[in-house]
Amino acid sequence: MADYIRYRPGYPPALIGLLQTESGLRTDHVIADVGSGTGLLAKLFVANGNRVFGIEPNDEMRQAGEEYLSAHKHFSSVHGSAENTTLGDSSVDFITAAQAFHWFEPIATRYEFLRILKPLGWVAMIWNDRRISETSFGRAYEDLLVRYGTDYTRVKEAYPEPQDMETFFGKRKVQRRELPNFQEFDFEGLAGRLRSSSYAPKEGHVNYAPMMDALHELFNANQKEGRVRMDYTTQIYFGQLDPRSGARPGGQFGAIGRSE
């Protein structure tokens, strides 16, 4: 958990301006951040002056988020889930989910979101995609994950595709934008970033020592002045849920909702 808290990528501050311009976000809007984890996304909204309810089912994650945002009076931690937030009917103006949608059961989640949203409320689904192919470091890091990760390919395939977002929001109800994002690491930070991933083998696993050896080689080959840069594209899908659509015939959503 310490690696997760310290080394996971956050979200670019420009996200707030984008939602202000594109969906009318105001400081008096109430936010439900679903799957809020350690509070990385919620921090942007409380810094903007928003009242934020962090909905998190995992006790360790939720406690870490409470500590991280303890100085922010506009943040409230809630033991709940996407399918059962425990919030009141028509109680929030925005729902956000960052790096969490692939954990949700989509049909139950959609009903719950429609229940807690105020009329004309907005939903934003957000996640960071590593820019794999643009640098030799990015390509080599990807190869390392494929080679040593315990279930990296399955986790990678679980992330939603654009057609899945259209299914969830309703046809022609969702908009998509991208923002640049990055992290810079010394070796300790890069190792922590790798260990923070769910698919990274833990110490004692047969793949752990060779993975760390390979990471040393990768860092040494790509570092400049003792640091490497990991680039991301922050994907933002946002819109207003269409209450008349969302599930396919037979109640199926297709690919979305596969668990990590």
Side-chain angles (χ1 to χ4, degrees), residues 38-54 64-77:
T38 60
L40 290 172
L41 179 63
K43 185 176 182 179
L44 288 183
F45 288 99
V46 294
N48 187 54
N50 295 104
R51 181 86 168 90
V52 179
F53 293 95
E66 290 167 359
E67 292 178 13
Y68 181 58
L69 296 172
S70 60
H72 295 273
K73 64 181 181 180
H74 294 307
F75 178 75
S76 296
S77 180

Side-chain angles (χ1 to χ4, degrees), residues 164-237:
D164 301 324
M165 291 289 96
E166 184 172 284
T167 300
F168 184 80
F169 280 87
K171 194 171 183 179
R172 294 185 295 276
K173 289 290 184 179
V174 64
Q175 302 179 61
R176 178 175 177 267
R177 300 288 187 274
E178 296 181 350
L179 292 170
N181 200 7
F182 72 93
Q183 292 175 288
E184 288 188 336
F185 297 114
D186 58 13
F187 179 74
E188 180 183 355
L190 182 63
R193 172 65 181 91
L194 176 57
R195 290 192 303 261
S196 76
S197 301
S198 64
Y199 41 76
K202 307 303 181 187
E203 191 168 3
H205 189 282
V206 65
N207 281 0
Y208 181 81
M211 177 185 73
M212 297 308 293
D213 289 342
L215 190 69
H216 267 288
E217 293 181 12
L218 175 60
F219 179 82
N220 290 336
N222 290 274
Q223 61 85 22
K224 294 181 180 179
E225 300 182 349
R227 302 184 74 81
V228 294
R229 172 170 164 142
M230 187 174 290
D231 287 288
Y232 304 89
T233 297
T234 300
Q235 307 278 357
I236 307 106
Y237 288 86

Side-chain angles (χ1 to χ4, degrees), residues 26-170:
R26 303 193 310 265
T27 58
D28 62 333
H29 280 152
V30 177
I31 314 291
D33 185 29
V34 180
S36 54
T38 60
L40 290 172
L41 179 63
K43 185 176 182 179
L44 288 183
F45 288 99
V46 294
N48 187 54
N50 295 104
R51 181 86 168 90
V52 179
F53 293 95
I55 314 297
E56 176 55 55
N58 180 280
D59 291 341
E60 193 175 8
M61 286 278 195
R62 190 174 63 258
Q63 290 163 10
E66 290 167 359
E67 292 178 13
Y68 181 58
L69 296 172
S70 60
H72 295 273
K73 64 181 181 180
H74 294 307
F75 178 75
S76 296
S77 180
V78 178
H79 186 189
S81 66
E83 302 81 8
N84 181 20
T85 64
T86 78
L87 300 183
D89 294 353
S90 303
S91 59
V92 301
D93 301 284
F94 273 75
I95 298 172
T96 60
Q99 220 78 18
F101 185 70
H102 56 296
W103 288 97
F104 303 165
E105 196 294 308
I107 294 176
T109 294
R110 199 171 193 283
Y111 280 119
E112 179 70 353
F113 283 12
L114 286 167
R115 183 185 70 79
I116 68 174
L117 276 172
K118 295 178 183 178
L120 303 180
W122 289 77
V123 175
M125 301 293 184
I126 302 151
W127 60 90
N128 288 313
D129 281 341
R130 276 183 299 104
R131 293 162 66 177
I132 295 168
S133 62
E134 297 180 16
T135 65
S136 59
F137 171 74
R139 292 188 293 272
Y141 187 81
E142 177 75 3
D143 291 343
L144 182 149
L145 297 181
V146 172
R147 183 173 182 181
Y148 297 108
T150 55
D151 58 353
Y152 174 65
T153 300
R154 181 181 64 82
V155 171
K156 183 179 178 181
E157 290 175 351
Y159 279 83
E161 300 291 339
Q163 63 269 24
D164 301 324
M165 291 289 96
E166 184 172 284
T167 300
F168 184 80
F169 280 87

